[in-house]
Amino acid sequence: HAHTHTHTHTHTFTWCGEVKKVVLFRFIEATAEVQAGQQYNHILTCIMDANPFLGEGSKQAISTAGMMAGPNDAKVTLLLIEEPGTKTQDPEKQMENLTWHLHDKGCRNYAFISQETTQPASVLVGDKADEVEADLVVLSSEAIHAKYVDANQLAEFVSCPLLIVP
């Protein structure tokens, strides 16, 4: 079993004319553990995507979770978070595409949770990760860039390793 550490760095930068001081967490634990042969039993994958055919970030997150789960028959729970801007107009087509990506990576053990939320999505992710007893959370960096989730809140509310894929 590999011993890994998460390092925290504080950076100050200018964003849209405002100076912000942020704490950046290097989410390397999950990747290092996978490389060391760590097996996960339950992977929570968060999808915040209005596109029924899935954006590239969502495809990457679901494919990564499917690949990691497939060989060990780990369970993947897809958390479809519906908030303004992320609710799909064709949920059946989106489910079909999500299922296809999981099957394509050899994952057959999965479940879907569709959740509308008015609370911050980062809090919901943490709550659902605890509820399903996930030992890894996977999400796309697009969700952070689009401001659907807040990386600092994820670090605070998600109690298991967190893998953010490009």
Side-chain angles (χ1 to χ4, degrees):
H1 184 78
H3 294 284
T4 58
H5 302 280
T6 301
H7 302 281
T8 304
H9 300 280
T10 301
H11 294 277
T12 302
F13 65 96
T14 303
W15 179 264
C16 298
E18 292 180 45
V19 175
K20 303 235 181 200
K21 191 172 191 181
V22 295
V23 179
L24 298 178
F25 294 88
R26 293 172 59 206
F27 296 110
I28 59 170
E29 284 181 50
T31 307
E33 287 177 6
V34 167
Q35 290 168 349
Q38 170 73 30
Q39 293 184 355
Y40 294 97
N41 296 313
H42 198 152
I43 301 169
L44 180 69
T45 306
C46 306
I47 304 294
M48 289 161 268
D49 194 336
N51 183 350
F53 296 97
L54 306 174
E56 286 307 310
S58 296
K59 289 177 188 175
Q60 189 66 33
I62 190 92
S63 294
T64 300
M67 279 190 304
M68 292 171 68
N72 309 314
D73 199 33
K75 182 169 187 174
V76 173
T77 297
L78 293 173
L79 175 59
L80 307 172
I81 300 175
E82 297 177 359
E83 59 178 20
T86 67
K87 188 174 177 87
T88 184
Q89 297 304 309
D90 192 348
E92 282 184 31
K93 179 56 76 180
Q94 190 176 57
M95 288 284 196
E96 187 181 305
N97 283 300
L98 290 166
T99 302
W100 184 89
H101 282 283
L102 287 171
H103 285 190
D104 185 54
K105 298 303 179 196
C107 179
R108 298 285 186 268
N109 184 6
Y110 56 86
F112 294 94
I113 299 173
S114 185
Q115 182 82 46
E116 287 193 41
T117 186
T118 54
Q119 67 178 329
S122 308
V123 175
L124 177 65
V125 171
D127 287 348
K128 290 298 176 185
D130 290 343
E131 187 179 302
V132 302
E133 298 179 355
D135 47 15
L136 177 67
V137 171
V138 177
L139 77 151
S140 164
S141 61
E142 282 182 3
I144 294 168
H145 297 313
K147 306 237 184 290
Y148 294 133
V149 292
D150 179 281
N152 288 320
Q153 286 184 343
L154 283 171
E156 184 178 339
F157 292 109
V158 176
S159 59
C160 63
L162 178 63
L163 181 60
I164 299 174
V165 296

